[in-house]
Amino acid sequence: MTNGQEVLITGLGVVAPTGVGADAHWQAVLAGKSGIARITHFDPTPYPVRLAGEVKGFVATDRVPRRVVPETDRWTQLALAAAGEALDDAGVDLSAMPEYEIAVVTSSSSGGTDFGQHQMQNLYQNGPSWVGVYQSIAWFYAATTGQLSIRHGMRGPCGVLCGEQAGGLDALGQARRLLASGTRLVVSGGTDASLCPYGLVAQLSSGELSAVDDPVGAYLPFDVDASGYLPGEGGAIIVVETAAVAHERGTEAYSRVLGYAAGFDPRPDTGRPPALRRVIERALKDANLRPDDVDVVFADAAGVPARDLAEAQAISAVFGPRGVAVTAPKTLTGRLYGGGAALDVATAVLAQRHGIVPSTAGPTRLAPGCELDLVTSPRQPARLRTAMVLARGHGGFTAALLLGRV
Amino acid sequence: MGSRPRCCSVECDAATTQETTQERRTEMSTFTLDDLRELLRRADEHADLDGDIANTQFVELGYDSLAVLEIASEIQRRFGVVVPDDAVLAMPTPAKAVEFINALFARCGA
């Protein structure tokens, strides 16, 4: 699948509840500083879920071209800001590359929910002619990819992956395919921002959100008191390119993408096991690695007891009970849907660079059957070369990505 | 239910009778280049529109076809006239837009 091309991550941009900017995010993660708090984008009082991870201090007009602001949803604005940081970080001069060999593949789960909600309000309160024309280009899943492509003149293969929380890994998997077939550089990763009444109500329908009204105790993956997860917004944009291109322009890489696999859960009534174990095994095979080569697993960490148990069992089946360090820094942000796995990849890459495994905030007592070496305070292991990121999206999407330290 | 649009065609009725805006519609008279400038500034308060823009293409002023369509919608809401979607094609420049809107006002019997 990689056609012998080594794929490198050379740029990171983060816009997350833990901070705007990769450095701010990493410092917050290390300090265990949570971005979870009472929702401020709207009055959450009448809703069963009142806590979320919001991106604070993000003023779109400071970070996005002013003409683009009224044309885009917040989810796209977060991505535009993160992409600017990621491209700067990669030190890439896009004008020096053939524009048709620069691709954009992002992940999206909710689309432009907040933008759409306001247009629906215009429709039902005032009438059809009050629906703004930009609804046509702001709501749909590919809007972020399109705006990134236009903004930076990246005219190679463009696409969007919609696999809910797994989408961020699927986007990188697709980026890797493109790099194997002539594309030089891909702007990938993803964001999401669905913290508006319409977006939250849609999320509630999964029945997996935590209604516990305590920022510290609401999202406790793998814990005996797990009660669901909290939602968040933001994500990460990640620049990936072939080693040949990175070498040619003399850039330093963060990490290597060593392996990737995706799967889909069987229908619940078939009695067949979920896809995760097979996906982990296939990702290892794809990377030509053995389980004991992996130094840390960034878990999907659904926070829903049955899903936590299924994930713990899949990890234990491959790595052995408590056989590998497992962490979930997403406890500081909530689950970011289309942006979630992309942020996990950014965090894993930063962990590899700094040689520190960040911790999981919240859980104190593992639930029965969760035989995990869960990292609850930061660790500096003797070896931190290879990280695995796991992600599961609502409905059965499952993906795993392996990252190697450069 | 807001006041009926002052346009009298069947098409106008069909398109607007469901509208319930509370906002009082501006009286139609003559639509000027300065009226258009104000609408263009609403879309972008920093736009440079002070010079002789009448015969400059909207695209060159930084307004793409969707931006022009949005301005046409604003005219529709403000003056209670129906601006057809394909009107954008008849409005490549501010001068042509002013001409088109005034012709529309005249047809709707101000």
Side-chain angles (χ1 to χ4, degrees), chain A residues 214-310:
Chain A
D214 165 20
V216 180
Y219 179 29
L220 299 172
F222 307 112
D223 192 271
V224 287
D225 290 326
S227 58
Y229 67 85
L230 290 174
E233 63 175 357
I237 295 295
I238 295 164
V239 174
V240 286
E241 55 193 303
T242 61
V245 170
H247 180 75
E248 186 185 303
R249 56 185 198 88
T251 195
E252 193 190 339
Y254 283 97
S255 297
R256 258 180 209 103
V257 178
L258 299 175
Y260 161 77
F264 203 84
D265 285 337
R267 270 170 45 161
D269 58 7
T270 59
R272 289 158 55 206
L276 186 59
R277 178 182 176 173
R278 284 178 292 121
V279 166
I280 294 172
E281 289 168 344
R282 280 181 25 239
L284 285 166
K285 197 176 168 200
D286 183 50
N288 200 20
L289 291 173
R290 291 170 312 162
D292 59 8
D293 291 321
V294 177
D295 303 310
V296 61
V297 172
F298 285 74
D300 174 61
V304 177
R307 294 182 71 194
D308 286 348
L309 182 61

Side-chain angles (χ1 to χ4, degrees), chain B residues 12-83:
Chain B
C12 295
D13 280 342
T16 55
T17 44
Q18 287 180 12
E19 307 232 344
T20 56
T21 174
Q22 300 303 307
E23 216 168 273
R24 204 171 65 82
R25 289 200 168 93
T26 310
E27 292 298 309
M28 267 186 276
S29 52
T30 306
F31 188 76
T32 67
L33 188 59
D34 279 337
D35 293 335
L36 181 62
R37 272 202 180 88
E38 190 222 317
L39 292 174
L40 290 167
R41 283 212 176 85
R42 275 172 61 103
D44 181 357
E45 57 185 311
H46 302 288
D48 179 16
L49 303 166
D50 292 331
D52 182 13
I53 61 165
N55 294 305
T56 309
Q57 300 277 325
F58 277 117
V59 173
E60 285 169 41
L61 294 170
Y63 293 83
D64 60 19
S65 59
L66 278 180
V68 176
L69 191 58
E70 182 74 355
I71 287 160
S73 298
E74 179 62 22
I75 291 168
Q76 180 161 303
R77 292 191 287 265
R78 197 178 283 202
F79 299 101
V81 293
V82 170
V83 184

Side-chain angles (χ1 to χ4, degrees), chain A residues 220 223 225 362-366 376:
Chain A
L220 299 172
D223 192 271
D225 290 326
T364 50
R365 287 173 302 158
L366 288 171
T376 52

